[in-house]
Structures are given as C-alpha cells and as structure tokens.
Amino acid sequence: MASLFRASLDFPVFDPSSVESSSRFSGKPSGAIKIGSSPLNLGRLSNARLRILGCVEEKHTSTRKASKEPFRLTREFTESERRKLGNDEQDLDPFEELKSRFKSFKSQNYEENLVHYQNLAKQQSPKFMVIACADSRVCPSNILGFQPGEAFTVRNIANLVPPFQHGASETSAALEFAVNTLEVANILVVGHSRCGGIQALMSMKNDPGSRSFIKDWVSIGKTARLSTKAAAGNLSFEMQCRHCEKESINGSLLNLLTYPWIEKRVSEATLSLHGGYYDFINCTFEKWTLVYRERLEGGSKYAIKNRSLWS
C-alpha cells in the first residue's frame, strides 16, 4: 500500500466624406466614381443604403414584437395535444410511479415523523460522510439503511477520491464541506462488485491521442491498477477487476490523507476513515478501518483494523 501515494476579410471602404453632403441622400445621380474599372453611381448607392437601413429597422421591429411574448419552458399541453398523446403514452410515464412513491413516503414516513423532519429542516448533523459509486445498483442508503440526516453522501464513477493535488472536483468540495463545516466523525468509501469504472481502469489503453472524461477520471486509480497487475496479473480479467475494486478503496483512503484538514483530524482522533465493499452477487459487505499514525509496528504509518464480513 505504500506505493499507492503517489481571418478577418478586407473590403474596399467607401468614404462618404469624399462626396458633397448635398448629394449623399438626394437619390439623384451626382456623377460616378470608379472602383477599379467599374463606375459606381452614388445616387443608386444612397438609395440602396436607405433600402438596407429600412430592412434592418423592419427586422429589429419584428424582433421586438416577437420578444413581447415570453418563452415558457413549462407550457402545459392543451387538451387536444393530450388526446394526441394517447392513453398508451400516458400509461408509460415513469414519473407516475415516482409520484406514487413520493405520496407514500409523505404519508407513511414524513407525516409520521414530522418533528424529526422539521428539525432536519433547520440543520443537519450527519455522523457519516459516504463516498460511493454512481452505479444504480449501489445505493448506500438502501444497502446500509441510512435515514435522512445520517449520511452526507457523494457518488461518482468508481467511488474514487482524488488526491488533494488534483484540484477542485465535486468530491473534494463535498469532503471540504463535510469535514470542515459538518464535522463528520467518519468517512466511509464504499466500493462494489462488477464496477464498470474499475473495468474501464483495468482495460485502459495508453493512447495519448484519445480523450475521454471517463478515462481522465478513472486514471486517479492508476496506482491501484499497477498494484493489481503486480499482485494478480496472472489471474483472469474478472479476478483482476475484483482485486482492483478493493485495492482502489485503499488507494482512496490514502488519498484522503493528502487533504491537510483531514490528516489533521485523523491524527487528533476526531475523524476515522473506513473502507467498505458491497458484493451484490452474494449480498455480502466487507468493512475495515484505516489506522494512521507515526511509527506503527514495522515502520509504516498505515495499517488496517476491525476488518469484518457481514453476510
């Protein structure tokens, strides 16, 4: 684990000052000048200019008239438009199911625990900061039973924590708020089986010409990939991914310590860092805690304790 640290276009310009002011907009020919070898009638030019100006003014007027009608994104369908949709289209609306679930939540949960939710409306004091994967199969509140107000949660591809030097990201911003403002006591990084982000990391090609947001993001876990290749390179790709899923969690735990205000609180024992691995194939959950302090046995600063398997 010690290796885990890581053109403009030019046109001839006509100068009206070279022509007497009385002939500028008279509409009468006042002689011709030559541009190149072609005679240019100034009267026609003036009339043309007036016509162009009038056209521009017309367009501006029509634009102003059109802008009086506000653009409404939330315009409701008319009755005839609703009939055109047909009953089948309405039956397939996925938000009807969400509407039913929300009403059930309100009547069976919110209203029965009204005081609790009113207190949450005033402030939050979560004990946990959870960093989980964006995978739709891995909802930490569903898996671990977190109730509203218990866990400040951020989810991203492959539940990765970038190092402090990586700069601003939604994950680092969430960490700053959770630790410095909410003063959470625990940070839990939750990985999982068959993680698509880890598969992308393990199958990533060294092609500097290709650009991908996913590739750029999962590259945060490149140290875990190297460790996996060294320890499990002789195993199948599936087993390598499984190894890296857990190795990247430890990499994220070490990356957490690169944030000065996290390292300070861990050293003061006011903040604990934990790893978790959810296997949704067998429905098991592994949990462990990172120990960090100077001069641990063996000369390392890091160790794992309280490893357990929930099944």
Side-chain angles (χ1 to χ4, degrees), residues 79 81-97:
E79 186 60 35
E81 287 174 327
R82 277 196 292 269
R83 284 197 295 269
K84 286 180 182 178
L85 284 174
N87 292 329
D88 291 342
E89 289 278 353
Q90 294 180 47
D91 291 343
L92 294 175
D93 184 0
F95 286 93
E96 284 301 315
E97 175 65 22

PDB file of all heavy atoms in Angstrom, residues 79 81-97:
ATOM      1  N   GLU A  79     -55.677  20.412 -24.239  1.00  0.00           N
ATOM      2  CA  GLU A  79     -56.489  19.190 -24.176  1.00  0.00           C
ATOM      3  C   GLU A  79     -56.356  18.382 -25.455  1.00  0.00           C
ATOM      4  O   GLU A  79     -56.247  17.156 -25.425  1.00  0.00           O
ATOM      5  CB  GLU A  79     -57.964  19.565 -23.937  1.00  0.00           C
ATOM      6  CG  GLU A  79     -58.870  18.356 -23.707  1.00  0.00           C
ATOM      7  CD  GLU A  79     -58.461  17.542 -22.491  1.00  0.00           C
ATOM      8  OE1 GLU A  79     -57.996  18.147 -21.502  1.00  0.00           O
ATOM      9  OE2 GLU A  79     -58.586  16.305 -22.547  1.00  0.00           O
ATOM     10  N   GLU A  81     -53.794  18.364 -27.474  1.00  0.00           N
ATOM     11  CA  GLU A  81     -52.452  17.766 -27.509  1.00  0.00           C
ATOM     12  C   GLU A  81     -52.382  16.552 -26.604  1.00  0.00           C
ATOM     13  O   GLU A  81     -51.725  15.562 -26.933  1.00  0.00           O
ATOM     14  CB  GLU A  81     -51.408  18.805 -27.082  1.00  0.00           C
ATOM     15  CG  GLU A  81     -51.151  19.867 -28.131  1.00  0.00           C
ATOM     16  CD  GLU A  81     -50.235  20.971 -27.631  1.00  0.00           C
ATOM     17  OE1 GLU A  81     -50.293  21.277 -26.420  1.00  0.00           O
ATOM     18  OE2 GLU A  81     -49.481  21.532 -28.435  1.00  0.00           O
ATOM     19  N   ARG A  82     -53.060  16.616 -25.479  1.00  0.00           N
ATOM     20  CA  ARG A  82     -53.060  15.461 -24.573  1.00  0.00           C
ATOM     21  C   ARG A  82     -53.748  14.274 -25.227  1.00  0.00           C
ATOM     22  O   ARG A  82     -53.343  13.129 -25.064  1.00  0.00           O
ATOM     23  CB  ARG A  82     -53.748  15.825 -23.254  1.00  0.00           C
ATOM     24  CG  ARG A  82     -52.830  16.536 -22.275  1.00  0.00           C
ATOM     25  CD  ARG A  82     -53.407  16.531 -20.871  1.00  0.00           C
ATOM     26  NE  ARG A  82     -54.589  17.359 -20.791  1.00  0.00           N
ATOM     27  CZ  ARG A  82     -54.557  18.642 -20.469  1.00  0.00           C
ATOM     28  NH1 ARG A  82     -53.417  19.234 -20.205  1.00  0.00           N
ATOM     29  NH2 ARG A  82     -55.679  19.341 -20.413  1.00  0.00           N
ATOM     30  N   ARG A  83     -54.843  14.554 -25.964  1.00  0.00           N
ATOM     31  CA  ARG A  83     -55.547  13.457 -26.644  1.00  0.00           C
ATOM     32  C   ARG A  83     -54.672  12.826 -27.714  1.00  0.00           C
ATOM     33  O   ARG A  83     -54.703  11.617 -27.921  1.00  0.00           O
ATOM     34  CB  ARG A  83     -56.845  13.982 -27.268  1.00  0.00           C
ATOM     35  CG  ARG A  83     -57.965  14.223 -26.248  1.00  0.00           C
ATOM     36  CD  ARG A  83     -59.307  14.327 -26.942  1.00  0.00           C
ATOM     37  NE  ARG A  83     -59.369  15.493 -27.815  1.00  0.00           N
ATOM     38  CZ  ARG A  83     -59.804  16.683 -27.438  1.00  0.00           C
ATOM     39  NH1 ARG A  83     -60.204  16.877 -26.195  1.00  0.00           N
ATOM     40  NH2 ARG A  83     -59.832  17.699 -28.295  1.00  0.00           N
ATOM     41  N   LYS A  84     -53.857  13.680 -28.380  1.00  0.00           N
ATOM     42  CA  LYS A  84     -52.964  13.159 -29.419  1.00  0.00           C
ATOM     43  C   LYS A  84     -51.911  12.231 -28.836  1.00  0.00           C
ATOM     44  O   LYS A  84     -51.429  11.315 -29.484  1.00  0.00           O
ATOM     45  CB  LYS A  84     -52.285  14.316 -30.153  1.00  0.00           C
ATOM     46  CG  LYS A  84     -53.199  15.055 -31.111  1.00  0.00           C
ATOM     47  CD  LYS A  84     -52.455  16.194 -31.805  1.00  0.00           C
ATOM     48  CE  LYS A  84     -53.381  16.964 -32.735  1.00  0.00           C
ATOM     49  NZ  LYS A  84     -52.665  18.104 -33.382  1.00  0.00           N
ATOM     50  N   LEU A  85     -51.499  12.494 -27.599  1.00  0.00           N
ATOM     51  CA  LEU A  85     -50.510  11.620 -26.970  1.00  0.00           C
ATOM     52  C   LEU A  85     -51.027  10.196 -26.853  1.00  0.00           C
ATOM     53  O   LEU A  85     -50.274   9.236 -26.962  1.00  0.00           O
ATOM     54  CB  LEU A  85     -50.145  12.147 -25.570  1.00  0.00           C
ATOM     55  CG  LEU A  85     -49.220  13.357 -25.515  1.00  0.00           C
ATOM     56  CD1 LEU A  85     -49.083  13.832 -24.081  1.00  0.00           C
ATOM     57  CD2 LEU A  85     -47.856  13.027 -26.082  1.00  0.00           C
ATOM     58  N   GLY A  86     -52.300  10.077 -26.590  1.00  0.00           N
ATOM     59  CA  GLY A  86     -52.893   8.752 -26.471  1.00  0.00           C
ATOM     60  C   GLY A  86     -52.734   8.184 -25.085  1.00  0.00           C
ATOM     61  O   GLY A  86     -51.821   8.540 -24.337  1.00  0.00           O
ATOM     62  N   ASN A  87     -53.594   7.291 -24.733  1.00  0.00           N
ATOM     63  CA  ASN A  87     -53.569   6.679 -23.400  1.00  0.00           C
ATOM     64  C   ASN A  87     -52.318   5.861 -23.171  1.00  0.00           C
ATOM     65  O   ASN A  87     -51.788   5.797 -22.073  1.00  0.00           O
ATOM     66  CB  ASN A  87     -54.815   5.810 -23.198  1.00  0.00           C
ATOM     67  CG  ASN A  87     -56.069   6.665 -23.116  1.00  0.00           C
ATOM     68  OD1 ASN A  87     -56.015   7.797 -22.652  1.00  0.00           O
ATOM     69  ND2 ASN A  87     -57.188   6.134 -23.584  1.00  0.00           N
ATOM     70  N   ASP A  88     -51.833   5.186 -24.226  1.00  0.00           N
ATOM     71  CA  ASP A  88     -50.651   4.335 -24.071  1.00  0.00           C
ATOM     72  C   ASP A  88     -49.442   5.162 -23.651  1.00  0.00           C
ATOM     73  O   ASP A  88     -48.662   4.754 -22.792  1.00  0.00           O
ATOM     74  CB  ASP A  88     -50.346   3.599 -25.383  1.00  0.00           C
ATOM     75  CG  ASP A  88     -51.402   2.545 -25.694  1.00  0.00           C
ATOM     76  OD1 ASP A  88     -52.133   2.171 -24.762  1.00  0.00           O
ATOM     77  OD2 ASP A  88     -51.489   2.139 -26.861  1.00  0.00           O
ATOM     78  N   GLU A  89     -49.271   6.348 -24.279  1.00  0.00           N
ATOM     79  CA  GLU A  89     -48.138   7.201 -23.932  1.00  0.00           C
ATOM     80  C   GLU A  89     -48.207   7.627 -22.473  1.00  0.00           C
ATOM     81  O   GLU A  89     -47.221   7.634 -21.760  1.00  0.00           O
ATOM     82  CB  GLU A  89     -48.131   8.446 -24.832  1.00  0.00           C
ATOM     83  CG  GLU A  89     -47.751   8.162 -26.283  1.00  0.00           C
ATOM     84  CD  GLU A  89     -46.251   8.088 -26.476  1.00  0.00           C
ATOM     85  OE1 GLU A  89     -45.533   8.394 -25.507  1.00  0.00           O
ATOM     86  OE2 GLU A  89     -45.813   7.701 -27.568  1.00  0.00           O
ATOM     87  N   GLN A  90     -49.413   7.968 -22.022  1.00  0.00           N
ATOM     88  CA  GLN A  90     -49.566   8.417 -20.640  1.00  0.00           C
ATOM     89  C   GLN A  90     -49.315   7.286 -19.655  1.00  0.00           C
ATOM     90  O   GLN A  90     -48.755   7.478 -18.588  1.00  0.00           O
ATOM     91  CB  GLN A  90     -50.964   8.998 -20.441  1.00  0.00           C
ATOM     92  CG  GLN A  90     -51.192  10.279 -21.256  1.00  0.00           C
ATOM     93  CD  GLN A  90     -52.575  10.832 -21.035  1.00  0.00           C
ATOM     94  OE1 GLN A  90     -53.021  10.929 -19.905  1.00  0.00           O
ATOM     95  NE2 GLN A  90     -53.261  11.182 -22.111  1.00  0.00           N
ATOM     96  N   ASP A  91     -49.731   6.074 -20.025  1.00  0.00           N
ATOM     97  CA  ASP A  91     -49.526   4.928 -19.137  1.00  0.00           C
ATOM     98  C   ASP A  91     -48.054   4.612 -18.949  1.00  0.00           C
ATOM     99  O   ASP A  91     -47.667   4.027 -17.949  1.00  0.00           O
ATOM    100  CB  ASP A  91     -50.249   3.695 -19.699  1.00  0.00           C
ATOM    101  CG  ASP A  91     -51.767   3.858 -19.618  1.00  0.00           C
ATOM    102  OD1 ASP A  91     -52.220   4.740 -18.853  1.00  0.00           O
ATOM    103  OD2 ASP A  91     -52.476   3.130 -20.324  1.00  0.00           O
ATOM    104  N   LEU A  92     -47.210   4.980 -19.940  1.00  0.00           N
ATOM    105  CA  LEU A  92     -45.791   4.658 -19.871  1.00  0.00           C
ATOM    106  C   LEU A  92     -44.975   5.726 -19.134  1.00  0.00           C
ATOM    107  O   LEU A  92     -43.775   5.608 -19.038  1.00  0.00           O
ATOM    108  CB  LEU A  92     -45.230   4.493 -21.293  1.00  0.00           C
ATOM    109  CG  LEU A  92     -45.771   3.302 -22.090  1.00  0.00           C
ATOM    110  CD1 LEU A  92     -45.233   3.324 -23.512  1.00  0.00           C
ATOM    111  CD2 LEU A  92     -45.393   1.987 -21.414  1.00  0.00           C
ATOM    112  N   ASP A  93     -45.610   6.763 -18.646  1.00  0.00           N
ATOM    113  CA  ASP A  93     -44.905   7.837 -17.956  1.00  0.00           C
ATOM    114  C   ASP A  93     -44.247   7.301 -16.679  1.00  0.00           C
ATOM    115  O   ASP A  93     -44.937   6.922 -15.727  1.00  0.00           O
ATOM    116  CB  ASP A  93     -45.886   8.953 -17.615  1.00  0.00           C
ATOM    117  CG  ASP A  93     -45.189  10.153 -16.975  1.00  0.00           C
ATOM    118  OD1 ASP A  93     -43.951  10.109 -16.806  1.00  0.00           O
ATOM    119  OD2 ASP A  93     -45.891  11.125 -16.644  1.00  0.00           O
ATOM    120  N   PRO A  94     -42.890   7.265 -16.622  1.00  0.00           N
ATOM    121  CA  PRO A  94     -42.218   6.701 -15.437  1.00  0.00           C
ATOM    122  C   PRO A  94     -42.412   7.548 -14.192  1.00  0.00           C
ATOM    123  O   PRO A  94     -42.241   7.068 -13.074  1.00  0.00           O
ATOM    124  CB  PRO A  94     -40.747   6.658 -15.855  1.00  0.00           C
ATOM    125  CG  PRO A  94     -40.612   7.728 -16.884  1.00  0.00           C
ATOM    126  CD  PRO A  94     -41.927   7.748 -17.621  1.00  0.00           C
ATOM    127  N   PHE A  95     -42.768   8.817 -14.365  1.00  0.00           N
ATOM    128  CA  PHE A  95     -42.926   9.685 -13.209  1.00  0.00           C
ATOM    129  C   PHE A  95     -44.222   9.434 -12.448  1.00  0.00           C
ATOM    130  O   PHE A  95     -44.360   9.870 -11.310  1.00  0.00           O
ATOM    131  CB  PHE A  95     -42.838  11.154 -13.644  1.00  0.00           C
ATOM    132  CG  PHE A  95     -41.435  11.573 -13.970  1.00  0.00           C
ATOM    133  CD1 PHE A  95     -40.959  11.506 -15.267  1.00  0.00           C
ATOM    134  CD2 PHE A  95     -40.573  11.994 -12.968  1.00  0.00           C
ATOM    135  CE1 PHE A  95     -39.657  11.874 -15.565  1.00  0.00           C
ATOM    136  CE2 PHE A  95     -39.269  12.365 -13.258  1.00  0.00           C
ATOM    137  CZ  PHE A  95     -38.807  12.300 -14.564  1.00  0.00           C
ATOM    138  N   GLU A  96     -45.152   8.721 -13.072  1.00  0.00           N
ATOM    139  CA  GLU A  96     -46.359   8.349 -12.346  1.00  0.00           C
ATOM    140  C   GLU A  96     -46.020   7.428 -11.178  1.00  0.00           C
ATOM    141  O   GLU A  96     -46.578   7.541 -10.092  1.00  0.00           O
ATOM    142  CB  GLU A  96     -47.374   7.688 -13.289  1.00  0.00           C
ATOM    143  CG  GLU A  96     -48.101   8.653 -14.202  1.00  0.00           C
ATOM    144  CD  GLU A  96     -48.878   9.705 -13.432  1.00  0.00           C
ATOM    145  OE1 GLU A  96     -49.578   9.343 -12.451  1.00  0.00           O
ATOM    146  OE2 GLU A  96     -48.788  10.891 -13.784  1.00  0.00           O
ATOM    147  N   GLU A  97     -45.075   6.510 -11.421  1.00  0.00           N
ATOM    148  CA  GLU A  97     -44.632   5.607 -10.351  1.00  0.00           C
ATOM    149  C   GLU A  97     -43.899   6.385  -9.269  1.00  0.00           C
ATOM    150  O   GLU A  97     -44.096   6.142  -8.072  1.00  0.00           O
ATOM    151  CB  GLU A  97     -43.717   4.523 -10.936  1.00  0.00           C
ATOM    152  CG  GLU A  97     -43.095   3.586  -9.906  1.00  0.00           C
ATOM    153  CD  GLU A  97     -44.120   2.734  -9.167  1.00  0.00           C
ATOM    154  OE1 GLU A  97     -45.240   2.550  -9.699  1.00  0.00           O
ATOM    155  OE2 GLU A  97     -43.789   2.262  -8.064  1.00  0.00           O
TER     156      GLU A  97
END
